[in-house]
Amino acid sequence: MARLGRSGIPRRTADELRHMRAAGKVVAEMHERVRAAARPGVTTASLDRVARDVIERRNATSNFFGYHGFPAVICASVNDAVVHGIPGSRVLLEGDLLSVDCGAIVNGWHADAAFSMGISAISPDAQRLIDTADAALDAAIRQMRPGRRLGDVGAAIQHVVSSAGYGSPRDFCGHGIGRAMHEDPDVENRGKPGRGLELHVGVVLAIEPMLIGGGRDDVRQLADGWTVVTADGSLASHAEHTVLVGEHGPEILTRA
Ligand code: MG
Ligand code: MG
């Protein structure tokens, strides 16, 4: 059982963290392989197979496949898709903005991470949207220190995103992670510094800024029941890591 911190967010033991680091390494390898395979002419379904191959070789389990019936081990969200795109027959083209989200389970412990990338040459605007998602995630990760609060994490993301003129969907956010992929608390992509639950050593959160290029926050879901797209048709980007509040600072568990 997870120990509850004073804040109410579970604090992971050394043993639990060992499994979460192992799951994180699998996710990092999935990212690496998918990134290398994503180029003009390939389908998003073929990227799902690349990720599935890593899961199988590492004797891990997917926490995406079968999640409320989700049919794949990655989400592949292209251009105006923000999150939850279903891999399929769509062929990637030069200039596409691809976001990939995936996770893994090792010995019952979860990791979850996402990245966005350009397919071959992309527009400077699209690249800036990707870079800003990475910058927002970095800023949030720097808040993952004992004594900081959830509001500090959200505020760090909000500052980077809104300073760049981008929007962010209000109904989607990061989350606690451990024995399940989605645990309490919600980790919102906005917040007030100094507010919210306190972070203690051993807390692990999945932090995931989602950016809307058009600057508004509105999204809608496609008829497939999954894909979330920007309401104004503008590009979107997404970045995520599973991050530990370590004794000496943040530790990214989903980095190779
Ligand atoms: Mg997540
Ligand atoms: Mg994710």
Side-chain angles (χ1 to χ4, degrees), residues 70-101:
F70 192 76
V73 306
I74 67 169
C75 293
S77 306
V78 183
N79 294 337
D80 65 333
V82 189
V83 288
H84 303 168
I86 303 172
S89 57
R90 181 173 187 150
V91 175
L92 294 174
L93 302 173
E94 177 165 351
D96 279 345
L97 193 170
L98 170 70
S99 300
V100 172
D101 191 357

Side-chain angles (χ1 to χ4, degrees), residues 112 175 182 206 208 240:
D112 177 17
H175 46 93
H182 294 144
E208 46 182 318
E240 178 181 24

Side-chain angles (χ1 to χ4, degrees), residues 201-220:
V201 171
V203 161
V204 180
L205 301 175
I207 304 171
E208 46 182 318
M210 298 159 222
L211 277 58
I212 297 176
R216 299 185 53 185
D217 301 331
D218 311 279
V219 293
R220 65 186 174 86

